[in-house]
Amino acid sequence: MTDTATKIAAGLEQAFVEFGFAEPPVEALREAAGVSMRTLYKYTPSRSEMVLSALEHRHRRYLHHVFDGLPGSKAEALDEIIARIAQWMAQEAPRGCLFHAAVAAAPQDARLRELLKRHKGEVAARAAKAAGAEDREMDLSLIFEGLTQSWPLHGSAAAGCARRLAGGLCPG
């Protein structure tokens, strides 16, 4: 991504986090992106493209936050992944998963559904590999989904439950 594309995506991401997907008019999105309307439409020619750009940016940030610099021990890595997901939820997504919110706002959008699937799949696959539990990818996916979906109701208690559920998944 170019610096301008990254700036736009970051601004759009924050606008969608703050206002949701239905509420902000394009002028508010342009303002959040910090560019002219012409530049906004050059990089994201439709509202749908704006949403996709914001979510792709969020996907990269999330993967960086959760997986960069994990401890070498597989059990420690899984515990750290859960801690980082909880930290993300507290700081970046206290109202829930932005990917699920985007799909809920446009359930017929196949590109959004595919992005959601890719995002969740990549998170589960990377976590399974880091934990040495490649055969438990679906289990980890369900634990992470439980954590992110229950965060708005239960906060950090959801992370404790996720740790307990994940505790037996790693090999020795």
Side-chain angles (χ1 to χ4, degrees):
M1 279 188 124
T2 66
D3 290 343
T4 301
T6 301
K7 175 185 174 184
I8 290 168
L12 291 170
E13 177 193 354
Q14 290 309 306
F16 291 130
V17 166
E18 186 174 347
F19 302 112
F21 292 97
E23 184 178 319
V26 173
E27 176 56 31
L29 295 174
R30 183 215 54 81
E31 187 175 314
V35 296
S36 69
M37 193 66 77
R38 181 180 180 148
T39 301
L40 177 63
Y41 277 116
K42 175 183 174 186
Y43 286 89
T44 54
S46 67
R47 187 179 192 90
S48 176
E49 291 296 324
M50 292 175 198
V51 171
L52 288 168
S53 175
L55 290 175
E56 286 286 356
H57 179 74
R58 190 169 186 88
H59 173 71
R60 287 188 299 277
R61 286 192 331 104
Y62 187 81
L63 293 177
H64 172 74
H65 176 83
V66 173
F67 295 106
D68 284 5
L70 288 173
S73 157
K74 295 186 182 309
E76 288 177 15
L78 184 54
D79 192 59
E80 182 65 19
I81 288 167
I82 292 170
R84 290 178 183 186
I85 291 172
Q87 181 184 45
W88 178 273
M89 296 306 296
Q91 296 173 350
E92 301 277 346
R95 293 187 300 255
C97 175
L98 196 64
F99 292 86
H100 280 292
V103 170
Q108 301 305 318
D109 189 324
R111 290 172 47 190
L112 279 178
R113 289 192 319 273
E114 184 56 37
L115 178 57
L116 170 66
K117 183 178 179 180
R118 181 171 53 89
H119 171 70
K120 300 299 183 172
E122 190 169 343
V123 169
R126 284 189 180 201
K129 183 175 181 182
E134 286 87 346
D135 61 329
R136 307 304 294 269
E137 194 173 307
M138 178 67 83
D139 297 326
L140 289 170
S141 180
L142 289 170
I143 290 168
F144 299 156
E145 281 304 292
L147 170 55
T148 60
Q149 293 302 311
S150 65
W151 186 271
L153 297 173
H154 303 291
S156 61
C161 289
R163 277 193 182 91
R164 284 191 300 281
L165 291 169
L169 293 180
C170 283

